[in-house]
Amino acid sequence: MSLPEHRLPVPLEKAYRLLNHGPTVLVSSAFAGRSNVMAAAWSMPLDFSPPKVTVVIDKATLTRQLVESSGVLALNVPCRAIAAQTLAVGSESALDAPDKLVRLGVSTFAASLIEAPLVHGCVAWLECRVLPEPHNQSQYDLFIAEVVAAWADPRVFSNGHWHFDGAPEELRSLHYVAGGQFYVTGESLVVEAPEKS
Amino acid sequence: MSLPEHRLPVPLEKAYRLLNHGPTVLVSSAFAGRSNVMAAAWSMPLDFSPPKVTVVIDKATLTRQLVESSGVLALNVPCRAIAAQTLAVGSESALDAPDKLVRLGVSTFAASLIEAPLVHGCVAWLECRVLPEPHNQSQYDLFIAEVVAAWADPRVFSNGHWHFDGAPEELRSLHYVAGGQFYVTGESLVVEAPEKS
């Protein structure tokens, strides 16, 4: 697949900001000719520099097999335009439906530094290498990874900041709740700390 | 302090939904007569049942000392009405300013099962016991905790679901970015997965 039209690199020291507001992500991975994309609401930044992230990946998923075999994963930040696809890749397991990505119309392109697909239609992409933590992985399904490259759609993220206000509504990121319900990232609110007395 | 007027228990199996959409939280804690409240954008659910959460707590904070001493913490979900206070408690350390909470006008009330204060003006509260993981704590500042009691403001969360639409705008939860900028939790979007062909 061709590269997305709207994509610029994000400096690594600003990569945490792509996840700081708590969006739902798509986890993409590949190993030995197989690839997959799943949705994950349970992900967060873990460090600024080098940037690290956490994500929960259930044992009963193909993604878990691919990530543990390859040692890499990508976190893609989906937007309103692909909310239905986000729900679908999170509802269906590629272990039951090997043609999941094709059937759901998920198209991908190559990452720059890792062997994992990145998902078209997203507004940010974080390429990550897993920092092996066997206890966390087996006990909690918790993965820790270092971000090695980051990208964003400059229509909604540039100079280290999201700017959804003024951009097309379809490009706002998503926050999953349950039962097919998301909240869209809403209004920007800039506040000053109260006066110190 | 008196208990908040708007607060109902949330069944533990639904407690993860209080954080599933990725809001910024306030971490509250107490030990030996000292207490504190700090903001944390880096928090997520880790398990459904029993519910577990993760939160990153920097070594250079009073909260870190209190949580490691007491073995408990609470995650409070602040809303738009207290955005300035949320920024302030996250910008200032109680190690430098011991009167921080009083000066910033943060008022608290007693938790039900743990020895930690809960923050007035929030829309959800999770009382948690730390599951000691010394490697995660020292290496990554990462804390894992089990939720033992949960509460929410029924004006915006009931029957296991957030319902911000239709409630006062001031009660929407917050998603911090950087530099005093938050995004407010936005529009609700209910989608169906694409038809399987």
Side-chain angles (χ1 to χ4, degrees):
Chain A
M1 283 290 297
S2 57
L3 295 174
E5 182 184 357
H6 301 285
R7 190 178 69 130
L8 286 178
V10 173
L12 284 180
E13 69 272 17
K14 297 289 169 60
Y16 77 94
R17 295 191 184 174
L18 299 173
L19 298 182
N20 213 70
H21 66 303
T24 291
V25 298
L26 299 178
V27 183
S28 52
S29 55
F31 185 71
R34 301 176 80 186
S35 61
N36 197 25
V37 176
M38 62 167 255
W42 298 359
S43 174
M44 68 176 190
L46 182 63
D47 207 349
F48 295 104
S49 182
K52 298 187 190 78
V53 297
T54 67
V55 60
V56 177
I57 304 173
D58 194 84
K59 290 179 185 65
T61 62
L62 175 59
T63 297
R64 176 70 171 257
Q65 299 176 19
L66 299 177
V67 169
E68 292 202 321
S69 299
S70 68
V72 297
L73 59 86
L75 301 184
N76 310 257
V77 179
C79 61
R80 183 173 184 147
I82 61 168
Q85 217 175 41
T86 300
L87 180 68
V89 298
S91 308
E92 194 173 312
S93 172
L95 292 175
D96 305 323
D99 62 342
K100 167 181 159 180
L101 295 191
V102 172
R103 210 158 23 72
L104 296 175
V106 177
S107 73
T108 60
F109 60 97
S112 65
L113 293 181
I114 63 170
E115 291 288 331
L118 302 182
V119 180
H120 270 290
C122 288
V123 290
W125 301 266
L126 298 97
E127 304 181 18
C128 307
R129 289 191 201 284
V130 173
L131 300 173
E133 289 284 357
H135 169 69
N136 286 332
Q137 294 166 210
S138 71
Q139 180 79 12
Y140 301 113
D141 297 336
L142 175 66
F143 285 74
I144 294 176
E146 180 176 334
V147 183
V148 295
W151 308 84
D153 183 331
R155 292 174 296 174
V156 287
F157 187 95
S158 56
N159 298 316
H161 284 279
W162 290 103
H163 40 80
F164 293 113
D165 293 4
E169 286 297 309
E170 291 300 291
L171 296 180
R172 287 183 184 263
S173 53
L174 300 168
H175 306 263
Y176 192 61
V177 183
Q181 188 203 6
F182 295 89
Y183 281 100
V184 178
T185 304
E187 185 186 343
S188 176
L189 180 68
V190 178
V191 304
E192 290 186 28
E195 286 280 327
K196 298 181 187 182
S197 57
Chain B
M1 284 290 299
S2 59
L3 295 174
E5 182 184 355
H6 302 286
R7 192 178 67 129
L8 286 178
V10 173
L12 284 181
E13 69 272 17
K14 296 287 169 60
Y16 78 93
R17 293 190 185 174
L18 300 173
L19 299 182
N20 213 70
H21 66 303
T24 291
V25 297
L26 299 178
V27 184
S28 53
S29 56
F31 184 71
R34 301 175 80 188
S35 62
N36 198 25
V37 177
M38 63 168 254
W42 299 358
S43 174
M44 68 176 190
L46 181 64
D47 207 350
F48 296 105
S49 181
K52 299 188 190 79
V53 297
T54 66
V55 60
V56 177
I57 304 174
D58 193 84
K59 290 178 185 68
T61 63
L62 175 59
T63 296
R64 177 68 172 258
Q65 298 175 19
L66 299 177
V67 169
E68 292 200 324
S69 299
S70 68
V72 297
L73 59 86
L75 301 184
N76 310 257
V77 179
C79 62
R80 184 172 184 147
I82 61 167
Q85 218 174 41
T86 300
L87 180 68
V89 298
S91 308
E92 194 173 313
S93 172
L95 293 175
D96 304 324
D99 63 342
K100 165 181 157 180
L101 294 190
V102 173
R103 209 160 23 73
L104 296 175
V106 177
S107 73
T108 61
F109 59 98
S112 65
L113 294 180
I114 64 169
E115 291 287 331
L118 302 183
V119 181
H120 270 292
C122 288
V123 290
W125 302 266
L126 298 97
E127 304 182 19
C128 307
R129 290 192 202 283
V130 173
L131 301 174
E133 289 285 357
H135 169 70
N136 286 333
Q137 294 166 211
S138 70
Q139 180 79 13
Y140 300 113
D141 296 336
L142 175 67
F143 285 73
I144 295 176
E146 182 177 332
V147 182
V148 295
W151 308 84
D153 182 332
R155 293 175 295 173
V156 287
F157 187 95
S158 57
N159 298 316
H161 284 280
W162 290 104
H163 39 81
F164 294 112
D165 294 3
E169 286 297 310
E170 292 301 290
L171 296 180
R172 286 183 184 263
S173 52
L174 300 167
H175 306 262
Y176 191 60
V177 183
Q181 188 203 6
F182 295 88
Y183 280 99
V184 177
T185 304
E187 185 186 343
S188 175
L189 179 68
V190 178
V191 304
E192 289 187 27
E195 286 279 327
K196 297 180 186 180
S197 56

